[in-house]
Amino acid sequence: MRRWVLAIAILAAAVCFFLGAQAQEVRQGHQTERISGSAGDVLEDDPVGRLKVYVYDLPSKYNKKLLKKDPRCLNHMFAAEIFMHRFLLSSAVRTFNPEEADWFYTPVYTTCDLTPSGLPLPFKSPRMMRSAIELIATNWPYWNRSEGADHFFVTPHDFGACFHYQEEKAIGRGILPLLQRATLVQTFGQKNHVCLKDGSITIPPYAPPQKMQAHLIPPDTPRSIFVYFRGLFYDTSNDPEGGYYARGARASVWENFKNNPLFDISTDHPPTYYEDMQRSVFCLCPLGWAPWSPRLVEAVVFGCIPVIIADDIVLPFADAIPWEEIGVFVAEEDVPKLDSILTSIPTDVILRKQRLLANPSMKQAMLFPQPAQAGDAFHQILNGLARKLPHGENVFLKPGERALNWTAGPVGDLKPW
Amino acid sequence: MASAGGCKKKTGNSRSRSPRSPVVLRRAMLHSSLCFLVGLLAGLAAPSDWPAAAGAAVFLRTLRASNVIFSRSSNRPQQPQLVVVVTTTEQSDDSERRAAGLTRTAHALRLVSPPLLWLVVEEAPAEKHAAPPTARLLRRTGVVHRHLLMKQGDDDFSMQISMRREQQRNVALRHIEDHRIAGVVLFGGLADIYDLRLLHHLRDIRTFGAWPVATVSAYERKVMVQGPLCINTSSSSVITRGWFDMDMDMAAGGERRAAADRPPPETLMEVGGFAFSSWMLWDPHRWDRFPLSDPDASQESVKFVQRVAVEEYNQSTTRGMPDSDCSQIMLWRIQTTL
């Protein structure tokens, strides 16, 4: 008799302990996690006092007039070029004395040239950029001092300063010769690519922060979607035969997993797109025409583990954001195995990634909010520029030394803008 | 509940005999304390707040489901079949009833072991193409679901409810076809109440399954039962051989009218009474047999499915649900015409 009572008591205790542990686990699921001792802490650096930026005062035809002509420029993926300008104008790192500046910024909106349907096609960008550089080189002494090595430019187009929307042509063009010494701040990032030069700062594409904020749902909403993706699988208009678009990776996702009930993938863009990401465990971020897409930003902001399918991608602020720890990397050739790759990730690994993603500094670094906030993408750009200081010896040219060839590049680019 | 009842009974019986056999008493005490423990645990484990508890649980459920699904490719051939539940929603001016119906269905589906996919179809105004209240409700449930929106045309208000429901079912079937989602498909309505055994046994269906449906008419005080007549030929195979209707008139003190046997329906079958394996949606042999003379129907997957259901009946390949004699009502449908 006593034995039974004892056994039951032990059983009850064990069960209570088990339940308690489980409840603990559930609570932990909502906690965030800091990445101590690794690069993650860099996100919280304050750039103020570590660098001074001089903003060239250009005629408004290089910036404000373009925006006035087409206000849609404020809403597309490349709007960072406009918001960065606005941010710097009122930033504490701005200096009005060019002599004490560490960096020079030329406010030129090269991607604010949209087709009637709203696509930014950078046909005029090279001439616009060239014209702006000629202007600053003649009116101020600072360009010629370094031929741009202490200047930075925001060039967020698909293939950055190669200024073409088709990869083949962009590669053929290469980076605009006049920008060869400058530091480029761009969304495009792929290793060993002519459109990505050493020392560039890769930034996230612009995603509208207020809009994303408006679609936030309670954080305890169950994540009932395992894998989520919305977007094109085939680009039949630009790649009718298939195989080029996304190097076939998106087509492979569709063909292999369209019938998998765990893969909520489709070309429809539902009104609940942002909400659905918040109830997904994994969000696919495959390459498209370029390796990056706004999904990277959306996934991080909405706490959905990004599954990055883009070989050799250079991710935004990769020196500060521990992408390896928050995301999952799948090689393009492994897409057919995506199901087993994702389902074999242990639960505790997934929970850890979710906790890291819940870290507000990670989300903040992906956004360009208005007005700017500490730790946001603007500040990460400044941090990146500050980390390049002090300038090396080769930044400033010796008297009489010339590095740039002003007549290099396609003849069409040399025409006045 | 059932187990708790069983426990009580045993305790009572043993107590009366206790002076004669202490062993029985001891066993009874063990039983009752175990039952108490189970009840206690059930109480503790019952999620008082559904979303909070669901947060991690659903996620783990999803994972577990995924492991099960993908084990197919490796070495376990016996993996559970996917259950696809299609729920159509009524007109948009009926939002409270829709919320109630969806909540009830969600609670039922949460009790089904994964893998399960819930397709909820809803009409939305074409210009908005959004239905935020339903989306919000569905998100909270934690059930693996897809919310499919159907554009609402201008002329839709004149259309009969049954027609619109049919259109919604077609939207869901198109989704299943486009994605080639392989599983057992069940059509549900907002007024449907399931016997859990039905949901649990759905995945045993290989081609078609059918079961008795009771339609409760709240205002006429009448219950109509429709279902397959099943004949158990051997221990393993169950075949359906007919179809019956039975009216129970509550107004007349629950008097039963004799069940009227009749041959299976000849053209279309009411979708609430059967479930089918989705592969027949893209089975060319079945499409070949589909009469082209009926161009309207051939455009509509629902009609196709209903027609194939009749065929299956006649070939006696339908599985009776949930057990061999199909004698129990598996689905209650409440008709309210407010």
Side-chain angles (χ1 to χ4, degrees):
Chain A
M1 185 75 181
R2 201 177 291 155
R3 243 184 328 161
W4 283 117
V5 173
L6 193 69
I8 288 163
I10 289 172
L11 193 69
V15 166
C16 287
F17 178 76
F18 171 72
L19 277 180
Q22 230 179 16
Q24 188 83 24
E25 218 167 275
V26 172
R27 272 199 297 278
Q28 272 179 359
H30 296 299
Q31 278 177 5
T32 66
E33 187 164 325
R34 281 173 60 93
I35 314 126
S36 51
S38 78
D41 282 353
V42 177
L43 288 173
E44 281 152 42
D45 283 356
D46 184 5
V48 178
R50 296 172 58 218
L51 78 166
K52 287 195 165 78
V53 175
Y54 180 76
V55 180
Y56 283 118
D57 189 14
L58 291 195
S60 62
K61 66 169 180 172
Y62 290 100
N63 41 59
K64 288 183 193 134
K65 267 194 187 155
L66 293 169
L67 179 59
K68 210 171 169 189
K69 208 176 102 194
D70 200 338
R72 290 180 299 177
C73 296
L74 279 177
N75 298 314
H76 67 63
M77 294 185 285
F78 309 134
E81 66 181 359
I82 297 164
F83 291 116
M84 188 65 191
H85 180 205
R86 291 184 177 178
F87 163 73
L88 283 171
L89 288 179
S90 59
S91 167
V93 302
R94 183 184 180 191
T95 175
F96 291 91
N97 177 9
E99 292 299 332
E100 63 165 24
D102 302 299
W103 288 101
F104 293 83
Y105 167 67
T106 313
V108 47
Y109 301 167
T110 46
T111 60
C112 185
D113 180 15
L114 310 184
T115 61
S117 61
L119 282 178
L121 293 180
F123 295 127
K124 293 183 195 150
S125 308
R127 283 156 55 208
M128 192 195 303
M129 183 63 90
R130 191 185 164 84
S131 159
I133 293 172
E134 274 171 349
L135 189 89
I136 57 169
T138 28
N139 293 359
W140 286 274
Y142 311 105
W143 175 270
N144 290 329
R145 197 173 70 176
S146 66
E147 290 200 321
D150 54 353
H151 288 55
F152 71 90
F153 293 82
V154 183
T155 55
H157 204 270
D158 278 344
F159 295 101
C162 284
F163 294 127
H164 205 285
Y165 69 101
Q166 288 171 314
E167 182 165 24
E168 222 171 294
K169 299 238 171 79
I171 291 173
R173 290 180 51 86
I175 291 170
L176 191 76
L178 287 184
L179 292 175
Q180 260 156 18
R181 287 174 57 80
T183 290
L184 300 177
V185 176
Q186 59 184 36
T187 45
F188 176 75
Q190 181 163 324
K191 285 170 205 150
N192 309 317
H193 196 286
V194 293
C195 301
L196 179 67
K197 67 203 259 324
D198 280 350
S200 292
I201 295 174
T202 306
I203 60 167
Y206 174 78
Q210 293 90 344
K211 201 174 148 199
M212 295 173 94
Q213 187 74 34
H215 286 264
L216 282 182
I217 61 174
D220 59 356
T221 304
R223 292 194 179 260
S224 52
I225 299 176
F226 190 62
V227 179
Y228 189 72
F229 174 80
R230 286 294 180 278
L232 289 181
F233 298 103
Y234 296 93
D235 186 348
T236 42
S237 51
N238 293 309
D239 179 24
E241 282 165 36
Y244 286 102
Y245 179 61
R247 300 196 276 260
R250 289 191 184 200
S252 175
V253 167
W254 173 251
E255 297 303 339
N256 282 293
F257 304 112
K258 67 178 175 189
N259 63 351
N260 189 321
L262 292 181
F263 280 63
D264 196 333
I265 58 175
S266 158
T267 51
D268 302 335
H269 197 88
T272 51
Y273 175 66
Y274 286 155
E275 286 88 346
D276 288 343
M277 285 188 113
Q278 291 167 80
R279 63 178 187 95
S280 305
V281 177
F282 292 108
C283 288
L284 300 186
C285 303
L287 71 160
W289 285 113
W292 56 271
S293 77
R295 291 176 194 84
L296 284 174
V297 177
E298 290 155 357
V300 171
V301 170
F302 293 134
C304 182
I305 298 170
V307 179
I308 296 152
I309 307 168
D311 294 355
D312 295 325
I313 189 172
V314 177
L315 286 154
F317 307 131
D319 52 349
I321 293 181
W323 286 101
E324 290 283 350
E325 293 186 62
I326 60 176
V328 175
F329 288 78
V330 177
E332 288 166 28
E333 63 166 9
D334 288 341
V335 167
K337 290 186 277 178
L338 199 53
D339 52 356
S340 45
I341 291 173
L342 295 181
T343 52
S344 59
I345 299 175
T347 308
D348 54 329
V349 173
I350 290 177
L351 290 174
R352 174 153 197 275
K353 287 181 193 292
Q354 287 181 329
R355 284 197 300 272
L356 289 173
L357 281 168
N359 185 335
S361 63
M362 218 73 79
K363 303 181 195 295
Q364 191 75 320
M366 287 289 113
L367 293 172
F368 295 92
Q370 308 295 313
Q373 292 159 11
D376 63 13
F378 299 117
H379 289 82
Q380 302 310 328
I381 295 174
L382 294 182
N383 281 337
L385 292 168
R387 282 196 286 269
K388 292 179 188 293
L389 297 176
H391 288 304
E393 284 171 18
N394 51 354
V395 162
F396 300 104
L397 300 172
K398 295 178 190 78
E401 189 187 347
R402 281 288 161 263
L404 291 184
N405 177 1
W406 284 75
T407 53
V411 188
D413 290 1
L414 303 182
K415 281 191 234 157
W417 177 62
Chain B
M1 286 302 269
S3 65
C7 289
K8 257 185 217 157
K9 218 183 220 170
K10 261 186 193 162
T11 322
N13 284 346
S14 54
R15 210 171 262 161
S16 61
R17 272 186 283 165
S18 57
R20 272 190 298 160
S21 68
V23 182
V24 174
L25 171 70
R26 212 179 285 170
R27 202 170 287 158
M29 281 189 74
L30 171 68
H31 263 289
S32 56
S33 44
L34 271 181
C35 286
F36 166 74
L37 209 80
V38 167
L40 177 82
L41 292 184
L44 280 178
S48 51
D49 177 27
W50 132 353
V58 163
F59 164 74
L60 292 173
R61 256 161 57 118
T62 315
L63 265 190
R64 229 173 288 140
S66 61
N67 284 336
V68 167
I69 282 185
F70 294 116
S71 57
R72 171 206 281 191
S73 51
S74 52
N75 45 17
R76 267 176 36 197
Q78 287 285 322
Q79 52 101 31
Q81 174 88 278
L82 173 73
V83 172
V84 183
V85 178
V86 175
T87 298
T88 51
T89 57
E90 319 296 314
Q91 310 107 296
S92 45
D93 55 327
D94 224 3
S95 59
E96 287 80 12
R97 204 193 300 176
R98 182 172 54 223
L102 287 171
T103 305
R104 181 170 56 202
T105 312
H107 273 289
L109 297 185
R110 277 166 57 84
L111 300 171
V112 182
S113 59
L116 175 131
L117 181 63
W118 187 21
L119 299 180
V120 180
V121 195
E122 184 168 10
E123 286 175 51
E127 69 277 8
K128 259 203 323 186
H129 198 59
T134 307
R136 212 174 303 130
L137 188 151
L138 294 176
R139 273 201 299 277
R140 307 287 298 169
T141 65
V143 178
V144 178
H145 70 270
R146 297 184 190 174
H147 186 198
L148 307 177
L149 294 178
M150 193 181 98
K151 278 198 183 115
Q152 193 178 51
D154 296 330
D155 56 334
D156 276 5
F157 288 105
S158 60
M159 205 192 281
Q160 281 184 330
I161 292 177
S162 59
M163 284 277 283
R164 289 158 69 174
R165 217 175 274 163
E166 202 152 281
Q167 279 192 344
Q168 293 192 355
R169 291 192 181 115
N170 277 327
V171 168
L173 287 177
R174 207 171 307 132
H175 184 87
I176 293 171
E177 270 184 84
D178 287 351
H179 284 264
R180 289 283 193 274
I181 297 173
V184 176
V185 182
L186 167 73
F187 289 109
L190 287 178
D192 293 355
I193 298 166
Y194 303 100
D195 188 306
L196 258 189
R197 285 171 295 174
L198 174 65
L199 297 177
H200 287 318
H201 288 291
L202 272 180
R203 52 171 57 96
D204 301 338
I205 293 173
R206 287 294 159 261
T207 46
F208 266 88
W211 50 83
V213 178
T215 309
V216 183
S217 170
Y219 296 94
E220 291 175 52
R221 291 174 56 78
K222 218 174 95 177
V223 181
M224 189 175 73
V225 182
Q226 284 184 310
L229 279 181
C230 303
I231 299 162
N232 201 352
T233 49
S234 69
S235 57
S236 60
S237 75
V238 178
I239 57 167
T240 54
R241 269 287 163 71
W243 190 250
F244 71 90
D245 289 314
M246 187 168 75
D247 285 351
M248 279 188 274
D249 202 337
M250 295 308 168
E255 180 203 333
R256 290 181 182 206
R257 267 171 240 158
D261 291 9
R262 60 174 168 82
E266 273 167 24
T267 49
L268 301 176
M269 249 181 85
E270 171 56 40
V271 295
F274 69 86
F276 64 99
S277 191
S278 62
W279 56 264
M280 45 186 79
L281 288 173
W282 48 88
D283 178 11
H285 297 296
R286 285 172 204 273
W287 278 104
D288 281 349
R289 290 203 302 271
F290 201 82
L292 286 171
S293 55
D294 195 353
D296 279 353
S298 63
Q299 294 296 312
E300 288 192 37
S301 303
V302 166
K303 292 235 169 77
F304 167 73
V305 168
Q306 287 172 299
R307 214 180 274 260
V308 176
V310 174
E311 264 186 39
E312 294 293 330
Y313 260 119
N314 296 336
Q315 290 169 7
S316 295
T317 50
T318 303
R319 191 191 160 92
M321 303 287 286
D323 43 28
S324 51
D325 60 356
C326 314
S327 63
Q328 293 170 58
I329 290 164
M330 287 291 107
L331 184 111
W332 298 83
R333 179 162 283 176
I334 302 195
Q335 263 183 352
T336 51
T337 39
L338 283 174

